[in-house]
Amino acid sequence: MTSLDIAFAGVGLVAAASGLLAVTTRHVVHAALWLVVCLGSVAGCYLVLGAELVALVQLLVYVGAVVVLVLFALMLTRAPIGPNPEVTTSRAHRALAAVLGAGVTALLLSVLLPVAGPARKRPGTSNTAVAEQVFGTWVWPFEALSLLLLVALVAAFAISRMTRAAEVAQSALPETTAPERISQ
């Protein structure tokens, strides 16, 4: 085993552990922060594999944009931060989900392990060719995605302002007595 293999295994374990914590924690903000650790660890895996451009894109797009958007959406919509007793699952559902997850993992391993056998010679790709594809062919989908994220952020901010304005208007009204109910 080389030092790169050990580094890859270490960063991969951090990614797997933080991904597991991201989906099992009961706090939404903690889940988003564990997602940051997981996505950063995946970028570390790309670095160890020698794909610096992919690691940089991983950090910029996912950690720098998507997770920040999720955190802003959580803050602006005033989502409950702590555990929510209304959204719990039974032990049977959790056990079923664990069995299903283990089955999917076994299926993926049965398909991917034969492919990952001895190292095969792969054709190299230069950064110039990747840059030509990204900034030539795929520039408009990236721009559309960034526009979509910006619209979502502005909409979350607008919705948050509308509810606050309604609360202020409601509190400014003088208290009136409710009309008496007509009994049947």
Side-chain angles (χ1 to χ4, degrees):
M1 261 176 111
T2 66
S3 60
L4 287 176
D5 292 337
I6 295 170
F8 183 78
V11 174
L13 282 175
V14 170
S18 59
L20 186 65
L21 286 169
V23 298
T24 57
T25 186
R26 293 184 183 269
H27 298 278
V28 178
V29 175
H30 292 173
L33 294 175
W34 281 117
L35 183 63
V36 169
V37 173
C38 181
L39 294 173
S41 300
V42 170
C45 288
Y46 290 141
L47 278 177
V48 171
L49 292 173
E52 294 87 6
L53 180 67
V54 179
L56 181 64
V57 169
Q58 171 83 14
L59 285 175
L60 289 175
V61 172
Y62 288 106
V63 177
V66 173
V67 173
V68 170
L69 180 70
V70 168
L71 288 173
F72 269 113
L74 287 173
M75 287 186 283
L76 289 174
T77 58
R78 291 181 280 179
I81 292 177
N84 192 351
E86 297 173 1
V87 190
T88 59
T89 57
S90 67
R91 289 189 187 267
H93 285 129
R94 290 181 194 163
L96 181 63
V99 168
L100 184 64
V104 169
T105 302
L107 179 66
L108 285 173
L109 286 176
S110 70
V111 170
L112 295 178
L113 282 180
V115 174
R120 295 184 176 95
K121 182 70 176 165
R122 295 187 180 110
T125 304
S126 68
N127 285 343
T128 306
V130 172
E132 286 175 1
Q133 284 291 316
V134 168
F135 295 115
T137 306
W138 297 103
V139 71
W140 292 113
F142 280 129
E143 291 298 324
L145 180 63
S146 67
L147 185 63
L148 176 68
L149 293 174
L150 178 64
V151 167
L153 184 62
V154 169
F157 184 71
I159 289 171
S160 135
R161 287 290 182 172
M162 286 186 343
T163 51
R164 286 188 190 142
E167 288 173 359
V168 169
Q170 185 69 21
S171 65
L173 292 176
E175 288 189 29
T176 59
T177 59
E180 294 185 11
R181 294 184 188 175
I182 302 172
S183 59
Q184 294 180 348

